[in-house]
Amino acid sequence: RSGDCNCDRDRNRGCDTDGYGNLFYTDQGKVEMLSAENITAAKIKGELPEPQVLYSVANSKSVAGPAGVAADNFYVYWANQQGDATTGSVARGPERLSASQAHPSAPVTLMTDQYQAVAANVCLARDNLFFTGESNSLFAVKTSGGAIAEVNQNFTKPQGCVYDDESTLYVADEGANAVFSLPDRKSVV
């Protein structure tokens, strides 16, 4: 679930785990993964696990200042803080490599640059990807892409969100110094 990991806020802008225990995070222009297998093997050996770079500015045109990240066992999603019409504000790419790939297949832009200035943090709730950022709004888009919905515009400075896998989406509002809960509407977008 989103929020199940701790991040070094000086370097990492977001992190998430998938259902297999793989850890995904953004780090200085890259989307990286520490696999559950590598984490376990490194612990046994008393070493630090080696991350795998899935996406970076160097290998993908869909990476532009990656920030918040979310994973769902199939795809990893991230906010592009420096997104434009090419990279998009939010992107999605496969979590895993096939045996013949050096990098996963090209990420997919989930939306245009219409909201590029606001995308900074992302979270998943069912088949919706929610994101917050520089505005006072919470937005959503289907994980398969499509139209963007402004879910709520009454926040002061929303900084992140998490879904409890049951029925509630929580949004941290730094400006209000509060965490707000929103009921799951099953199909927001």
Side-chain angles (χ1 to χ4, degrees):
R1 290 186 308 246
S2 295
D4 287 350
C5 53
N6 293 318
C7 296
D8 177 350
R9 292 182 90 39
D10 293 332
R11 292 183 47 160
N12 305 328
R13 295 285 304 156
C15 61
D16 195 17
T17 56
D18 67 10
Y20 300 108
N22 299 314
L23 173 65
F24 298 86
Y25 60 96
T26 58
D27 182 17
Q28 301 177 349
K30 300 176 283 193
V31 178
E32 297 182 325
M33 177 183 81
L34 288 171
S35 72
E37 279 181 17
N38 288 348
I39 292 170
T40 302
K43 279 183 181 178
I44 291 169
K45 294 177 183 177
E47 300 173 351
L48 292 175
E50 283 296 318
Q52 176 183 14
V53 177
L54 296 177
Y55 304 100
S56 72
V57 173
N59 71 19
S60 175
K61 294 179 181 175
S62 293
V63 180
V69 66
D72 68 2
N73 296 339
F74 300 102
Y75 295 100
V76 59
Y77 306 82
W78 65 89
N80 277 324
Q81 287 188 311
Q82 299 163 0
D84 59 24
T86 303
T87 60
S89 299
V90 177
R92 171 191 81 196
E95 282 190 6
R96 298 195 177 42
L97 299 170
S98 70
S100 63
Q101 291 177 304
H103 296 285
S105 56
V108 174
T109 297
L110 292 182
M111 56 194 195
T112 66
D113 66 338
Q114 180 179 3
Y115 294 103
Q116 71 178 1
V118 302
N121 300 292
V122 296
C123 67
L124 291 165
R126 302 183 192 274
D127 63 345
N128 295 304
L129 181 70
F130 290 88
F131 63 98
T132 63
E134 296 173 357
S135 77
N136 63 345
S137 297
L138 173 69
F139 297 94
V141 63
K142 288 288 187 194
T143 55
S144 57
I148 300 130
E150 186 173 26
V151 177
N152 187 310
Q153 60 183 1
N154 297 320
F155 296 108
T156 306
K157 189 177 178 185
Q159 289 298 301
C161 54
V162 65
Y163 182 64
D164 69 3
D165 290 332
E166 291 181 17
S167 63
T168 306
L169 181 75
Y170 297 92
V171 179
D173 190 336
E174 181 180 8
N177 196 28
V179 175
F180 295 95
S181 61
L182 303 172
D184 176 12
R185 296 190 181 115
K186 305 292 183 227
S187 180
V188 173
V189 187

